[in-house]
Amino acid sequence: MYMRRITCQKKNKYISFPHNQSMMLHTNGTPKSIWSQVDWLTIALYIALMSFGWLSICGASYTYGDNNILDLSTRSGMQIVWIGTSICLGFVILMTDMRFFDTFSYIIYGILLLLLFATIFNPHSIKGSHSWLVIGPLRLQPAEFGKFATALALAKLMSAYGYNIHRWKHFAAAIAIALTPMLCIVCQRETGSALVYLAFFLMFYREGMPGSILFTGVAMVLYFVVGIKYEAVPLLDTPTSLGKFVVLLLVQTFTAIMVNVYTRERKSMNAILGYSYGITLIALLFSKFVIPFDITWVQIALCALLIVSLLTQWLRTRLPRYFLLASFVIGSVTFFYSADYVLNDVMEQHQRVRINVLLGLEEDLAGAGYNVHQSEIAIGSGGLKGKGFLNGTQTKLKFVPEQDTDFIFCTVGEEEGFLGSAGVLLLFLALILRLMRMAERQSMAFGRIYGYCVASVFLFHVFINIGMVLGLTPVIGIPLPFFSYGGSSLWGFTILLFIFLRIDAGRNVRNVG
């Protein structure tokens, strides 16, 4: 044991006490136990969600006639092991020196990248995915642990002295850190887990990323959905695709609005809208009543003229905003026309069918749409108060595939009804809002950035998973935090959360070394 000397900010004295990870020096110069600094409300929410999650796993995995749901041979019994080890893991993290996570952020990130890369060549294939490492009886999914490692690396980079997200080199470095694990996971054929890493863009937005980038992402999704869904629908009995017509008109409209927002030139916005709508209307009337033709060619020509006009303004004024606006038009048109190619020639057949079912282009209740259809039946059958614990019929008769993992929320809906489902959603909402509040109260940028990474990941998982079960988002196979069965998922979320709890517990510590 050795003594540590710490300078008290207020009294300008030296205070000595034995090095003990459970003790810290508060800003008032008084040694404080870490247990008095931990956010117990967040831990209470964590315990409550895990408890409800275990009850849901019991309901989803229970078979009529089972006498012992605590037996380790059952899913519910094994989940208790994962819960117990997760609590122990959280305790160890809370007892770790908070400087460890800052100091070794890049090393942790590098180790996880190596694991993710090695997993690509893993000979073990589980449900068509090479995302699992099999070590004897233990199976681990590195993608679940890559989230906290990526969050630490981003917090380390973006909290460094001189970092400015508005500098493209700095922002590009942050994007590279976020997307490199994503590419490795895509190579493992685990697209759903890879998409989770897009959640970090919510943190980027909080830290100053231009809103235009976030808007561009939303616009791309809109182009894809509208373009694909209405591609085969003719516009007013003309040879024009309604999907292509609407998307190209949206590109011109969005560009005109962005011109007004970023250049403050309202006349330019009105001119773009006037020419685009006017010429498009004339072409539509000509195609309808004179000579039928595909008027999307006229719209493409208008987009080309818009690009030339913006690039001309850029060359004349040397203002980068005009170049970025021109890039938005080019990127939008390129993305839209490549989306159809990706959907029909790049995606696997099962992925293509899932998207078509989601968009209402196909109704495959016996195939790709079976999971969602059965899940909706289970949730709807629960009514207001549900059928009661272990009394669900859809889940007990195993109508819903993956009902204790990706589709675990349907068990909540069937057994606990609308009230129980609403209660679970309120718990998740309380956790996410609490994490955001904790992130805002951090005294250091490292803690704030990591906190928003944690909140973003939880928000993405909850939104996509529950939307997937309700048929509102694509079925991409990501777990519901603290509810879905499995050790990798529960450990990953626990580590992600408790590292932030440890950082938050030390937020008032100034100079401890």
Side-chain angles (χ1 to χ4, degrees), residues 119 121-126 128-135 139:
T119 308
F121 307 99
N122 176 26
H124 300 280
S125 177
I126 299 176
S129 171
H130 292 268
S131 61
W132 295 84
L133 286 178
V134 180
I135 308 173
R139 296 188 307 178

Side-chain angles (χ1 to χ4, degrees), residues 358-437:
L358 177 69
L359 297 179
L361 300 176
E362 297 181 21
E363 187 174 351
D364 187 12
L365 299 183
Y370 178 79
N371 291 24
V372 175
H373 181 62
Q374 293 298 328
S375 175
E376 291 172 342
I377 292 175
I379 293 175
S381 66
L384 180 64
K385 298 181 179 180
K387 298 177 180 178
F389 182 58
L390 301 183
N391 290 325
T393 53
Q394 292 292 116
T395 50
K396 298 304 163 296
L397 297 176
K398 314 300 180 186
F399 281 110
V400 186
E402 309 297 337
Q403 62 188 22
D404 58 358
T405 52
D406 298 340
F407 283 82
I408 186 69
F409 191 72
C410 72
T411 305
V412 180
E414 184 178 29
E415 295 192 347
E416 309 303 328
F418 174 79
L419 295 179
S421 300
V424 169
L425 291 177
L426 287 175
L427 283 175
F428 276 118
L429 178 61
L431 176 64
I432 293 169
L433 292 178
R434 185 64 182 174
L435 291 173
M436 294 173 64
R437 182 178 179 182

Side-chain angles (χ1 to χ4, degrees), residues 115-123 130-131 133 183-185 187-188:
L115 283 176
L116 289 173
F117 184 75
T119 308
I120 298 175
F121 307 99
N122 176 26
H130 292 268
S131 61
L133 286 178
L183 293 176
C184 292
I185 297 171
C187 293
Q188 299 170 4

Side-chain angles (χ1 to χ4, degrees), residues 47-87:
I47 297 296
L49 286 168
M50 279 202 307
S51 300
F52 284 119
W54 181 77
L55 292 175
S56 299
I57 290 173
C58 288
S61 60
Y62 177 79
T63 301
Y64 289 120
D66 284 348
N67 296 321
N68 192 357
I69 60 176
L70 301 180
D71 194 306
L72 293 183
S73 63
T74 64
R75 305 275 271 190
S76 56
M78 197 61 199
Q79 187 69 5
I80 292 181
V81 175
W82 303 133
I83 291 175
T85 52
S86 295
I87 293 174

Side-chain angles (χ1 to χ4, degrees), residues 103 118 138 219 231:
T103 304
L138 185 64
E231 181 181 15

Side-chain angles (χ1 to χ4, degrees), residues 154 158 199-207 449 452-453 456:
L154 286 172
M158 298 177 67
F200 293 118
F201 278 83
L202 297 176
M203 179 275 295
F204 290 150
Y205 179 70
R206 163 60 183 82
E207 293 300 313
I449 294 167
Y452 270 101
C453 285
S456 298

Side-chain angles (χ1 to χ4, degrees), residues 14 43 59-60 71 103 113 151 158 205 229 235 252 389 456 512:
Y14 291 108
I43 292 182
D71 194 306
T103 304
L113 276 186
M158 298 177 67
Y205 179 70
K229 184 175 179 65
L235 174 65
Q252 297 162 32
F389 182 58
S456 298
V512 286

